Amino acid sequence: MTDIYLERIVKRFGPDALAVDDFSLHVAPGSFVCLLGPSGCGKTTTLRMISGLERVDSGVVTIGGEVFDSPQQNIFVKPENRRLGLVFQSYALWPHMTVEENVEFGLKMQRVDKEERTKIITGSLNLLRMESYRKRYPAQLSGGQQQRVALARMLAVQPHILLLDEPLSNLDAALRLQMRSELKSLHERLGNTIVFVTHDQLEAMSLATHVAVMNEGRLEQYADPMTIYQKPATDFVATFVGSPPMNMVEFSDATGWRGRLLEQVAQSYDLADRKDRIGKIGFRPEAVSLVSARAEKKEGSKEIKIAGRVKAVLPTGPEVVISVVVEESEYYVVAPTNGGVENGESVQLVVPLEHIHIFDRQGMRL
């Protein structure tokens, strides 16, 4: 198992296109790290710099204790010499080769003898349950099967590190779920170090041991999935991770109900002397309950209440998403049932104080 250090990486594509900005990250040996973020945030560029397909403009890439890329030290190790396995969003299988020949291709490039190649191919295909398809061509396989062949081809060359660039995005929902299970199981069995690029938060939360949330080329937060979800470091992480996203109340205009809410939160969290630092508060949709608009607040109650009107009730199967409008803002509630509320009904959003997330005016967690 091998670790990866990225130290203050910078990558530009022209003077006005900063793709990765002062990015540092340590991927521990045997970990499954997801680079998560919206399109254009620098995820794939970071992965390509690890693989050597892109050179860094400044900073250092260290893999297994060896410097692989450093302009300052005039060091660059070519991709083929890094012993990394890379799987792209497209499967990139040779259409004129059988499954067996596709998996064998990298081993031939490494000049592995035929007997050893046969043993490795069989082992890789068995690992991914593709042994019975070894004589088929890619056109005769489903999307999920083609993805397994791409993984088998990568594993056959026995790389220290697996780099996966949105490998499941071309699959339908059922196949994506199946392949997530395959990848999770594969990691548990082999213990390889994996770096996985995705914009799908569900993939990141379900697969990763650690998630690196990126935004505009910078690292917003790096932690295990539950810490990312329960204690987001910034308002960007809070709203990007979660579906529906975290509800946010901004205090740029702290008048009316917002002013009263700001006072309550500041006093409850002993921030009365620093309330001018509070830029917004957030609360997850599943932390909210609804009560009648006429319900009175109890003395000493450790909760906040926000009056609004039901805009829509959206059944999703196992739960219901309820949209509530408060003046010009829209907030969401997730509950097992709609609780008997109807469109247009006046209600109160009730949030326990322990489920409130507070962020300063720069978007950092307080």
Side-chain angles (χ1 to χ4, degrees), residues 201 238-248 283-286 332:
Q201 55 175 300
T239 53
F240 188 78
V241 177
S243 181
M246 182 180 287
N247 297 301
M248 286 288 181
F283 46 91
R284 293 282 180 199
E286 61 270 25
Y332 295 97

Side-chain angles (χ1 to χ4, degrees), residues 15-292:
D16 301 321
L18 181 59
V20 178
D21 182 14
D22 197 24
F23 184 88
S24 296
L25 187 72
H26 176 224
V27 179
S31 59
F32 193 134
V33 172
C34 278
L35 303 181
L36 174 67
S39 298
C41 73
K43 306 183 300 292
T44 294
T45 300
T46 300
L47 195 79
R48 289 173 65 86
M49 287 189 288
I50 295 171
S51 70
L53 296 175
E54 298 283 355
R55 295 201 63 174
V56 304
D57 292 332
S58 66
V60 182
V61 177
T62 304
I63 301 176
E66 180 183 352
V67 175
F68 277 29
D69 195 354
S70 172
Q72 296 88 337
Q73 301 175 56
N74 196 29
I75 295 174
F76 178 72
V77 177
K78 293 181 178 179
E80 59 268 26
N81 296 326
R82 298 193 181 195
R83 289 200 66 188
L84 307 175
L86 184 60
V87 173
F88 297 97
Q89 182 174 344
S90 60
Y91 314 128
L93 300 178
W94 295 105
H96 63 289
M97 293 183 182
T98 63
V99 166
E100 180 179 23
E101 291 166 340
N102 266 283
V103 176
E104 186 181 34
F105 182 79
L107 298 171
K108 280 186 173 180
M109 295 297 100
Q110 293 182 347
R111 293 183 169 81
V112 178
D113 67 71
K114 184 172 179 56
E115 184 178 343
E116 183 66 15
R117 289 203 308 267
T118 301
K119 186 192 303 183
I120 293 172
I121 292 166
T122 300
S124 296
L125 292 176
N126 278 330
L127 188 65
L128 289 155
R129 302 199 297 277
M130 290 297 293
E131 169 64 23
S132 60
Y133 299 90
R134 65 190 301 157
K135 297 302 180 183
R136 293 194 186 184
Y137 290 90
Q140 298 172 308
L141 303 175
S142 68
Q145 290 167 339
Q146 290 184 54
Q147 190 60 272
R148 287 188 202 171
V149 175
L151 285 168
R153 179 180 58 187
M154 176 185 65
L155 293 172
V157 297
Q158 299 176 351
H160 295 305
I161 294 170
L162 313 182
L163 306 177
L164 310 176
D165 187 10
E166 301 205 46
L168 311 183
S169 59
N170 288 337
L171 306 179
D172 61 41
L175 278 175
R176 279 203 305 273
L177 182 61
Q178 180 185 356
M179 285 307 300
R180 282 180 205 141
S181 176
E182 295 280 1
L183 284 172
K184 188 92 171 181
S185 175
L186 194 65
H187 178 249
E188 289 171 354
R189 278 180 284 168
L190 301 181
N192 297 73
T193 303
I194 298 178
V195 182
F196 184 103
V197 164
T198 183
H199 64 272
D200 186 328
Q201 55 175 300
L202 183 57
E203 279 182 2
M205 297 295 285
S206 59
L207 288 173
T209 58
H210 289 79
V211 178
V213 183
M214 297 182 66
N215 181 34
E216 297 183 346
R218 287 185 168 271
L219 181 65
E220 293 272 337
Q221 187 173 3
Y222 184 45
D224 64 90
M226 290 315 297
T227 298
I228 293 282
Y229 189 78
Q230 294 173 348
K231 294 184 178 180
T234 67
D235 57 354
F236 174 82
V237 176
T239 53
F240 188 78
V241 177
S243 181
M246 182 180 287
N247 297 301
M248 286 288 181
V249 179
E250 297 193 32
F251 296 119
S252 53
D253 176 22
T255 58
W257 68 273
R258 283 188 172 84
R260 293 189 295 273
L261 181 58
L262 177 59
E263 288 287 347
Q264 183 184 355
V265 170
Q267 289 179 14
S268 299
Y269 282 90
D270 198 23
L271 294 170
D273 59 337
R274 293 178 290 161
K275 70 177 182 181
D276 58 333
R277 290 184 55 195
I278 301 176
K280 59 184 73 171
I281 65 166
F283 46 91
R284 293 282 180 199
E286 61 270 25
V288 188
S289 57
L290 294 180
V291 298
S292 165

